[in-house]
């Protein structure tokens, strides 16, 4: 049996309690990124009113020693609410709230990369940067094998699975469809979804989102994915290369445009941006996974149509390159481009911040200016 114990609890019994009146109280689930920079944590509290805006959600705290976030004996960390969504699990009027984490001295926790991202996005707000991220992931049974794969042995080679249909082509569509609906209900800007190249591997896209919204929406969509998977008793992994060998890895392609790129003559601005990115390949690789490029090095092998971690490349309609200009964008002469390097477990705050620093703030080499003093 590769599904979890809790997923086999009697869900009919649960339904009776879910129907009970909340007597005007609202359950608010605070969601944050833990000390690994990848893991997501949550906890819930009752409010006696419905928060109508983020300002109406109070700050809260948690014990950092349980989340790899403690600093010395000062283990109390602050949760600062930044964006409210509807709760697709406990339903209206309950809420999910994305939070930033601050340390006891109210400085950002090490894995709170939203704080500087926000500053950078504010600096370039007049250029209206849009992002769209393609989150690839793989479903695992609780035995750690990709869900639906034979216990001993492997499915047939890749080929029939990408965008596939049929019980012998795709595994776990229930999860994908429930996640999609849950995101729509929550108010997340989900753009679409598809089955991926490796069996049990899937993708959803978030966007286009302007500025800081990209990170907020993708992190909450990841939370919802893990929570839906919990109901079904399987695990979603964002590992960039969950299976060794001739099995595709998982990325988080990041599509990007500014107002200038989206209007007539935009291709010139796209090419300018790519030129700047080319000169700063190593910096971007360092930022595009939580291990500074180590995780992504298992995926960006330079083989089987995947770009190499050591070389920068770009081209129209070129899916083997670091950067792709979509064919339609090449033809129309404006639009957006796609950075195919970020790993599936990247932090979208870090990725979007790096794109803006290089293409709009003209940083070079390993430079990262601290603009907070300005
Ligand atoms: P692919 O062909 O690479 O698989 P997808 O259809 O999976 O592309 O994803 C396309 C992504 O591009 C979506 O996340 C969408 O939000 C994003 N996108 C579309 N237009 C723009 C734009 N002008 N600027 C930034 N992102 C965009
Ligand atoms: Mn895609
Ligand atoms: Mn894909
Ligand atoms: Mn893509």
């Amino acid at each position: 049996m590769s599904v979890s114990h809790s997923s086999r609890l009697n869900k009919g019994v649960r339904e009776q309690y879910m129907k009970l009146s909340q007597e005007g109280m609202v359950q608010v689930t605070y969601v944050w990124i833990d000390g690994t920079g990848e893991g997501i944590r949550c906890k819930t509290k009752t409010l006696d009113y419905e928060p109508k805006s983020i300002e109406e959600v109070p700050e809260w705290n948690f014990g950092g020693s349980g989340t790899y976030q403690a600093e010395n004996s000062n283990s109390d960390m602050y949760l600062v609410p930044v964006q409210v969504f509807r709760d697709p699990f406990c339903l209206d009027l309950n809420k999910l709230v994305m939070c930033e984490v601050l340390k006891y001295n109210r400085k950002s926790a090490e894995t709170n990369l939203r704080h500087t991202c926000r500053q950078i996005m504010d600096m370039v707000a007049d250029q209206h940067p849009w992002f769209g991220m393609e989150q690839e992931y793989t479903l695992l049974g609780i035995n750690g094998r990709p869900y639906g794969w034979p216990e001993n042995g492997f499915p047939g080679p890749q080929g029939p699975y990408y965008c596939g249909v049929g019980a012998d082509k795709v595994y776990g569509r229930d999860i994908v469809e429930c996640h999609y609906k849950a995101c729509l209900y929550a108010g997340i800007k989900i753009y679409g979804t598809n089955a991926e190249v490796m069996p049990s591997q899937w993708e959803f896209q978030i966007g286009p989102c302007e500025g800081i919204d990209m990170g907020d929406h993708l992190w909450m969509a990841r939370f919802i994915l893990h929570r839906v998977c919990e109901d079904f008793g399987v695990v979603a992994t964002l590992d960039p290369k969950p299976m060794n060998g001739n099995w595709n890895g998982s990325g988080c392609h990041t599509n990007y445009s500014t107002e200038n790129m989206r209007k007539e003559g935009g291709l010139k601005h796209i090419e300018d941006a790519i030129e700047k990115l080319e000169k700063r390949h190593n910096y971007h690789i360092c930022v595009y996974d939580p291990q500074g490029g180590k995780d992504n090095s298992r995926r960006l092998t330079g083989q089987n149509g995947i770009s190499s971690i050591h070389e920068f490349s770009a081209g129209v309609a070129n899916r083997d390159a670091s950067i792709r200009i979509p064919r339609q964008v090449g033809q129309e002469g404006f639009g957006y481009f796609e950075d195919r390097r970020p790993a599936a477990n990247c932090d979208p705050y870090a990725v979007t911040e790096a794109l803006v620093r290089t293409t709009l703030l003209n940083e070079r080499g390993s430079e990262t200016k601290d603009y907070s003093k300005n």
Side-chain angles (χ1 to χ4, degrees), residues 119-133:
Q119 286 169 352
I120 297 295
M121 292 304 167
D122 284 349
M123 288 176 67
V124 298
D126 58 333
Q127 306 194 52
H128 302 286
W130 289 5
F131 303 93
M133 295 179 79

Side-chain angles (χ1 to χ4, degrees), residues 52-64:
K52 300 283 201 225
S53 69
I54 193 67
E55 288 76 29
E56 292 182 13
V57 184
E59 271 190 22
W60 203 13
N61 51 60
F62 68 95

